Structures are given as C-alpha cells and as structure tokens.
Amino acid sequence: MARRKPNQAFDIAVVGGGPSGRIAALTLAREDFKTVLVAPNPVGMDGRTTALWQKSIALLEKVGVWAPLESKTTPLRKMRMIDDTNRLVRSPEVVFDSNELGIECFGFNILNNDLNLVLEELCRRQDNLTIVEESVQAAHFGSDLVELQTTDGQSVKARLVVAADGRNSLIRETARIDVRRWAYPQEAVVLNLEHTLPHRDISTEFHTPTGPFTLVPLPGRKSSLVCVETAEGARRLLAMEDEDLALELERRAHSVLGKFKLATKPQSFPLAGLTATRFSANRLVLIGEAAHVFPPIGAQGLNLTLRDIMDLERILIMAKAKHQDPGAKTVLETYEAKRTSDIHSRTRAVDALNRSLLTDFLPVQVARSAGMYFAGKIGPFRRLLMREGMAPGSLFRLNR
Ligand SMILES: Cc1cc2nc3c(=O)[nH]c(=O)nc-3n(C[C@H](O)[C@H](O)[C@H](O)COP(=O)(O)OP(=O)(O)OC[C@H]3O[C@@H](n4cnc5c(N)ncnc54)[C@H](O)[C@@H]3O)c2cc1C
C-alpha cells in the first residue's frame, strides 16, 4: 500500500470497498495508474456466495486474486434446469454440460467472505494503491480534477473517479445522474446447506411459480441456496425453526441432494432493479451496483461488474498509450459506448426470465417451454445459450 502525500493528485480514485471497488482498484493500480481507494473499514461477515464465470475468473487470475482463493472454491461443471411450475405448459428438464463447450467448468462458486478477505489483503499490499479508510461525504467535479471530501475532513484529488459505492451511490447523485428503479413482488431467501448426497459439481435450478430455487455447489457435501419467493412466503420461511426449514427446503428440492441441514442462518433480500441513465459524467464512471442492480438470478451481477472493469482497464490503457488524461472526454465517451448494450441486455434478460416464471399468461409459458425444449434438443442452440449465459456475444472465446 502506498503512503499518501498531502495535496497529491491521483490518476484514479475508486470510491467503495465492496468487491467491485476493490477489484477495480487492484486492476488499475497494477496497470501503473496512481490509484486511491476511498472505502470505510470493511464490516462484518457475508455468508453469501457468488458464482463467477470463466471470463471473470480470468480477471481474478490476472490480478492475483485467484491463486490464494482457488482451493476454497467449487467448480460448476453442469447446470440442470427443472420446470417445477406445475402449470399447464411445462418444459422438459435441460442439462447444460461445460464439456460440450470443451471447458472443464462454466465457472466457480465462491464464499463472499473468502473473496472479501483475499481482496482486502491484496489491496493492502498493492503498490501504487493508497487506501483512505473513510466514507466520501461530498464530491466537487472540476474541469481538471475531482475533489472528494471524506467524513474525517480529508480532501482526496483525482483526475478520474470510479464510483463503486453501491446502489445508493452518493457520487452518482452528486453528479446528477438519474436512475430508473423498479421492484419485484419477491424476495430471495439465501442460506448455505449441508446435504447427505454429493452434488457432483452440478448446480440445480428449479423453476417455480414464485421464481427460481437454485442450489449451487460448495466444497464437500454443501451447497448455497437462493430461493426466490413472494414476500409473504419468504416471511414464512424465515419464521421457521431450523429443522422445519431444512425439511421444507428438502421437499422443494425433491430430495435431489438427500437430507438437508442448515449451515448458515437464512437471510432475505427484496428483489429490485436499478439502471443508471448514464454510466459516465464529467471525470466520472460508474461500475457495479452504482450502475446496475438486478435480482440474484442466473449469477449475473458481479460478473457484469467485472466486465465494466475489464472494459475500463482496456480504455484507460489505450488512453495512457496516447498520453491522454484518464478523465479525458474520449475516455468517458468510449466507456459509455462500450458498456451500454451489455448492461441493458443483461438487465432485460434477467428481468424476462424472472417475469416469465411469474406470469400465468399462456403464450409466455409456451415460449419459455419451447425455449427449454429446443435447448434440450438442439446442440448448437444449447451451446449458444451456454456461451451467452457466461458472457455477451456468442463469439466469446472460452480459452482463459
Ligand atoms: C443474494 C445475492 C446473491 C448473488 N449472487 C451472485 C452471483 O452468484 N454471481 C454474481 O455475479 N453476482 C451475484 N450477486 C450480485 C453481487 O453480489 C453484487 O453485484 C455485488 O455484491 C455488488 O458489489 P458492489 O461492490 O457493486 O456493491 P456493494 O457490495 O454494495 O459495495 C458498495 C460499497 O460502497 C461503500 N460505500 C457506500 N457509500 C460510500 C461512500 N459515500 N464512500 C465510500 N464508500 C461508500 C459501502 O460501504 C460498500 O462497501 C448476488 C447478489 C445477491 C443479493
């Protein structure tokens, strides 16, 4: 970690110490940008897990996060989708197998605590990276520099600000970037489970009338669960005694993994969405949940953020090669143009999948079932869906 000199102006200030902010700060500091991470001290444990696809793992590998993490993660070799809607039109079961794409696995499931601890340690040790362990309370966007004021009265100056300060981003608001917000009539009940049968590195997703019920492998005979329910249904699950809840979840999983025992306490997250109307402004870019939020369905949120970071890194390296200021207008315009379609198309896809489960409208049920049927029967279509699920653009190369 670099020492901070008074009045020093940084190339880049990253605001927010969640996974988005820390991975961005590491990535940019390693590219020799004088970087400051303004993030309050990390608090508490996060028992959730995050599934990251191969392209994201490649970024973690490049910035040194993967080596200390790999042994604690679980590969996702197959993904099984089961229609459990009990509706008139039901889809056949579909299994997506990473072997079909010539790769060993689609990605890995990682405990958020493990990821966060590795990120914090690496940020502390990274050259070119200064950490200011405070929140930002005000930002002034000038023509040459941005000045951030922290809660303890420090002033931090930088030529570009990367806002990674989450869904209620103060930086985004200060820059007067509007957002579109929406809510779903659902909550995600999240917990980790021990089970008596092996998961064989297979993730299983039941499509139920209230949303997906997804079991994702963890090391040993453990899995993480994201159970999307109505608000009322979520409240009922959260009120249950541990043993009753384990039995109820096992029933919903049709005992595919044998008997369940809770490994963590359940938490619930209301399902909501947010998209910023722009992803850049004067000397500012938005990444992560400051730019886009959608329900935890299909493991897309942080994967999308890592693509924000990869695009930003490439654009900044090109600007540097041309001796351009990192906050130059062309940098901001290129970032805006690069990120817009990926963010909008992912948001629409997750929204459509979720809504297609909730609706009783027959034509939508038929379309969803037909999609699953063709995915099961037609190899090239199935492979296209697998690639698209991991990253946009069916020509995406899977070699790491
Ligand atoms: C149940 C659940 C399961 C999920 N599963 C997956 C998955 O499997 N795969 C996937 O890709 N994604 C998944 N996601 C999405 C993923 O968790 C999020 O995309 C990710 O956590 C967002 O990280 P972030 O850093 O953008 O935001 P946050 O984690 O919210 O971090 C924002 C940070 O900014 C800080 N901050 C706020 N204001 C200020 C300020 N003024 N000054 C300084 N700092 C500030 C906060 O303290 C916080 O540390 C899941 C989400 C949920 C809810």
Side-chain angles (χ1 to χ4, degrees):
M1 183 172 86
R3 259 179 207 289
R4 182 158 172 240
K5 298 179 198 98
N7 283 327
Q8 175 182 19
F10 293 91
D11 293 327
I12 295 159
V14 178
V15 180
S20 313
R22 288 189 188 268
I23 296 171
L26 269 179
T27 306
L28 299 174
R30 287 172 70 97
E31 288 301 337
D32 248 11
F33 292 100
K34 256 195 296 166
T35 306
V36 59
L37 173 66
V38 189
N41 252 329
V43 275
M45 304 273 282
D46 182 351
R48 290 177 298 161
T49 69
T50 301
L52 291 180
W53 309 127
Q54 290 285 12
K55 200 173 176 184
S56 301
I57 300 295
L59 175 66
L60 297 189
E61 216 165 26
K62 192 173 109 174
V63 299
V65 175
W66 188 236
L69 202 58
E70 185 174 7
S71 63
K72 298 174 183 151
T73 66
T74 315
L76 306 174
R77 298 187 202 281
K78 288 187 188 173
M79 285 189 292
R80 195 174 161 203
M81 297 202 176
I82 299 167
D83 187 337
D84 201 16
T85 55
N86 271 330
R87 288 209 172 104
L88 192 62
V89 188
R90 289 178 61 195
S91 333
E93 177 178 326
V94 183
V95 178
F96 296 104
D97 186 340
S98 55
N99 266 329
E100 245 192 278
L101 296 179
I103 51 174
E104 269 185 30
C105 62
F106 293 111
F108 293 82
N109 197 25
I110 305 169
L111 281 162
N112 286 13
N113 271 334
D114 291 339
L115 175 64
N116 291 341
L117 285 175
V118 168
L119 287 173
E120 282 157 36
E121 175 60 21
L122 289 181
C123 283
R124 268 196 294 275
R125 293 200 329 237
Q126 180 61 47
D127 288 343
N128 270 330
L129 180 58
T130 302
I131 302 179
V132 174
E133 285 183 345
E134 295 294 335
S135 290
V136 171
Q137 67 172 15
H140 305 282
F141 294 90
S143 54
D144 299 327
L145 284 174
V146 184
E147 187 175 352
L148 304 171
Q149 262 157 23
T150 62
T151 33
D152 68 340
Q154 294 184 60
S155 151
V156 176
K157 296 189 184 96
R159 293 194 284 164
L160 175 71
V161 170
V162 176
D165 52 344
R167 57 183 74 192
N168 299 317
S169 168
L170 173 112
I171 303 287
R172 184 188 65 215
E173 254 176 49
T174 309
R176 295 175 194 275
I177 298 180
D178 285 338
V179 294
R180 193 170 72 82
R181 287 179 196 266
W182 62 99
Y184 298 91
Q186 296 152 293
E187 291 190 12
V189 175
V190 180
L191 74 160
N192 299 339
L193 293 158
E194 289 173 20
H195 38 79
T196 51
L197 296 178
H199 49 56
R200 294 178 291 131
D201 300 339
I202 302 171
S203 158
T204 306
E205 182 165 306
F206 295 91
H207 290 171
T208 84
T210 60
F213 175 99
T214 312
L215 289 155
V216 191
L218 284 171
R221 290 191 180 185
K222 276 193 186 175
S223 293
S224 55
L225 171 70
V226 177
C227 167
V228 178
E229 250 292 359
T230 59
E232 180 52 37
R235 255 194 306 280
R236 272 200 301 273
L237 290 177
L238 292 176
M240 285 181 175
E241 295 296 329
D242 287 5
E243 280 178 12
D244 296 336
L245 178 58
L247 266 177
E248 171 60 17
L249 297 175
E250 182 191 327
R251 185 190 67 73
R252 293 186 186 204
H254 301 276
S255 300
V256 288
L257 294 176
K259 292 201 178 317
F260 281 168
K261 191 176 157 203
L262 306 199
T264 57
K265 286 281 173 204
Q267 288 174 278
S268 104
F269 298 84
L271 258 57
L274 172 155
T275 312
T277 50
R278 286 180 292 145
F279 307 110
S280 65
N282 176 31
R283 295 196 172 272
L284 170 67
V285 294
L286 308 182
I287 66 165
E289 292 207 335
H292 45 74
V293 177
F294 40 71
I297 293 174
Q300 297 293 329
L302 191 59
N303 283 289
L304 181 63
T305 299
L306 297 194
R307 298 203 292 280
D308 297 340
I309 297 171
M310 287 183 258
D311 277 341
L312 179 63
E313 179 197 17
R314 268 193 293 271
I315 295 163
L316 286 171
I317 290 174
M318 272 161 43
K320 194 179 201 175
K322 293 182 199 157
H323 305 287
Q324 276 175 351
D325 175 345
K329 210 161 164 241
T330 50
V331 167
L332 307 170
E333 284 169 355
T334 317
Y335 181 79
E336 184 80 36
K338 270 263 167 214
R339 296 311 303 144
T340 302
S341 79
D342 189 14
I343 292 171
H344 286 156
S345 69
R346 283 294 123 163
T347 307
R348 273 197 300 270
V350 173
D351 182 70
L353 172 62
N354 188 31
R355 289 188 199 277
S356 75
L357 292 175
L358 294 181
T359 184
D360 281 326
F361 189 47
L362 199 60
V364 176
Q365 288 180 36
V366 172
R368 189 174 56 81
S369 300
M372 296 275 274
Y373 174 80
F374 289 125
K377 294 278 176 214
I378 304 172
F381 179 55
R382 187 169 56 250
R383 288 190 282 280
L384 177 77
L385 287 182
M386 288 193 263
R387 290 195 192 98
E388 280 294 324
M390 287 191 289
S394 54
L395 296 178
F396 164 52
R397 294 174 64 80
L398 290 158
N399 304 336
R400 297 233 310 262

